Amino acid sequence: MSGRVKGWCPGALTPMPSGDGLVLRVRPRSGRLTPAQMLGLADLAERFGDGAVTLTSRANLQLRAVAPADLEAVQADLRRLDLIDTDPAQETRRNILVSPIWTQGDPTMALAAELAARLAELPPLPAKFGFAIDTGPAAILTGASADLRIERSSSGLILRAEGMARGEAVPDARAVTRLIALAHWFAAQPGARRMGLLVGGGARPPLAADAAPLTTPPLRPGPAAPGTCVAAPFGRMATDALRAIAVAPARPTPWRSLVIEAASPPRHPQAITDPDDPRLRVAVCVGKPRCSSASVETMRLARDLAPLVPPGAVLHVAGCAKGCAHPRPADLVLTGRDGHFDLLRGGRPGDPPQRRSLDPADIAALLKDPHAPSL
Ligand code: SF4
């Protein structure tokens, strides 16, 4: 997708070239967007992008298809919206996931703000290295990508390294300081890329194992403790849908959704609040022509096939064998290759397919065939 170095992550200051222009990734401060910021992003996506804002698995938002000639104008507007950092180094370090279920009075917002203010104290870290401030009523981000986590146990806050089952009890006022110290320990380990890999390889961070986090399952669309969880169909929120729900602050989640801090935000067909919506059963990447690695169009096929996917099953439509949209196995996988799709049941793109070189019409017919093996 890019000629940059392995592990590099795009930002708003370091956009990524793709098949349809530049991709700019926006990292909301403290995991929260104001209605004015949502409206501003919708305007930018409409004026300079492809008419939608992509929600990512790291709770960020992306504008794509930005022309290089428009980059300065987009960055100026992001600056006006307070959605951009002062320099690329700061942007890379501000890789902070924030619990979308924090409540007034818990320490989540204060910890996120403290960490954001102390980023300069961190050592150089791999671009994908990230932090989770998961200190709502229970940890909800345990399945999302992060290397160091501040969470809640039954007796107070803990600092936990990815890969460890238990964390060290920390007073609220010391949590970020201890986290920074642990980041320095990580940075001193030769060749370390991610904390989970390091711990999985047998390393033991200098951290007490006092307690396990309290946990709660990921949010699904619909009512959520601080308001309403609204998912983007196939991870892309159309600008008019984003405008419609911009009635209260929003908390981006790593499940390609936003928690709107309102009990009943306006409904929009492109803003999913029904957990049984079939579009939620499909993982799909942008495909052709948006990604230069894709030889097939993916979005239209995902839209056409979604109603055929039974409840509980997952269909993954991948533009190529990289399989960006869904890193885990899926019940049915369609992988683009040389302008056609390979089909595989139960696996990942790149695994040996059971059928090769199918066209979209063949696939729809296969899924509708009552005699074909079910998903
Ligand atoms: S999986 Fe999709 S988005 Fe990822 S590189 Fe392939 S075509 Fe591009």
Side-chain angles (χ1 to χ4, degrees):
M1 294 173 71
S2 138
R4 305 266 186 154
V5 291
K6 193 166 182 271
W8 169 74
C9 282
L13 290 167
T14 51
M16 177 176 70
S18 192
D20 54 355
L22 298 174
V23 177
L24 276 74
R25 186 171 295 168
V26 173
R27 300 176 174 185
R29 296 186 193 285
S30 296
R32 197 177 193 212
L33 290 164
T34 64
Q37 288 172 326
M38 295 160 75
L39 295 173
L41 284 170
D43 285 349
L44 286 173
E46 206 163 75
R47 282 167 57 214
F48 299 112
D50 67 353
V53 173
T54 305
L55 308 185
T56 80
S57 61
R58 288 202 171 202
N60 295 317
L61 297 97
Q62 282 181 179
L63 300 170
R64 60 178 311 135
V66 174
D70 293 330
L71 180 60
E72 268 187 39
V74 175
Q75 289 175 333
D77 271 12
L78 290 175
R79 203 161 284 119
R80 186 179 53 73
L81 291 167
D82 193 26
L83 284 173
I84 203 165
D85 291 278
T86 48
D87 61 65
Q90 166 108 349
E91 176 178 76
T92 303
R93 288 174 177 203
R94 199 164 59 77
N95 203 354
I96 307 171
L97 267 179
V98 179
S99 169
I101 56 168
W102 59 269
T103 56
Q104 293 293 342
D106 78 29
T108 307
M109 286 291 95
L111 290 169
E114 182 183 350
L115 179 54
R118 297 179 64 182
L119 292 174
E121 296 176 44
L122 290 168
L125 292 164
K128 291 186 186 299
F129 194 95
F131 309 95
I133 308 296
D134 202 2
T135 48
I140 196 167
L141 302 172
T142 51
S145 176
D147 296 84
L148 292 175
R149 301 171 184 273
I150 303 177
E151 299 169 325
R152 178 177 302 286
S153 75
S154 56
S155 53
L157 298 189
I158 57 170
L159 173 64
R160 187 169 67 87
E162 180 67 7
M164 307 287 293
R166 298 165 75 88
E168 177 176 296
V170 280
D172 294 20
R174 290 269 307 150
V176 172
T177 299
R178 274 296 281 142
L179 176 145
I180 291 171
L182 204 58
H184 279 271
W185 173 85
F186 174 88
Q189 308 308 303
R193 288 185 294 123
R194 298 298 303 266
M195 184 66 86
L197 291 173
L198 195 62
V199 171
R204 283 294 165 266
L207 199 64
D210 293 319
L214 299 173
T215 59
T216 190
L219 291 177
R220 304 195 68 208
T228 307
C229 180
V230 179
F234 313 119
R236 288 168 53 79
M237 189 69 84
T239 51
D240 52 352
L242 190 56
R243 287 195 185 98
I245 59 175
V247 293
R251 308 176 185 184
T253 82
W255 312 292
R256 300 177 199 274
S257 58
L258 300 169
V259 175
I260 308 296
E261 296 177 16
S264 305
R267 288 177 177 260
H268 189 284
Q270 297 304 316
I272 301 173
T273 51
D274 175 2
D276 296 322
D277 190 305
R279 292 171 290 182
L280 298 170
R281 300 170 199 156
V282 183
V284 57
C285 73
V286 291
K288 186 181 171 187
R290 293 188 174 96
C291 177
S292 43
S293 299
S295 65
V296 289
E297 206 183 328
T298 53
M299 283 289 169
R300 186 182 308 168
L301 184 62
R303 266 195 302 273
D304 291 348
L305 297 184
L308 304 177
V309 181
V314 175
L315 163 66
H316 182 181
V317 183
C320 77
K322 193 172 173 193
C324 302
H326 190 74
R328 296 171 297 286
D331 300 287
L332 183 69
V333 181
L334 299 168
T335 308
R337 185 178 54 81
D338 299 335
H340 303 277
F341 287 93
D342 291 342
L343 179 150
L344 151 75
R345 291 179 196 273
R348 294 180 168 84
D351 290 348
Q354 286 136 7
R355 301 282 298 265
R356 292 178 187 271
S357 300
L358 298 169
D359 288 321
D362 306 327
I363 300 163
L366 262 177
L367 291 192
K368 286 177 186 163
D369 180 357
H371 303 298
S374 61
L375 283 179

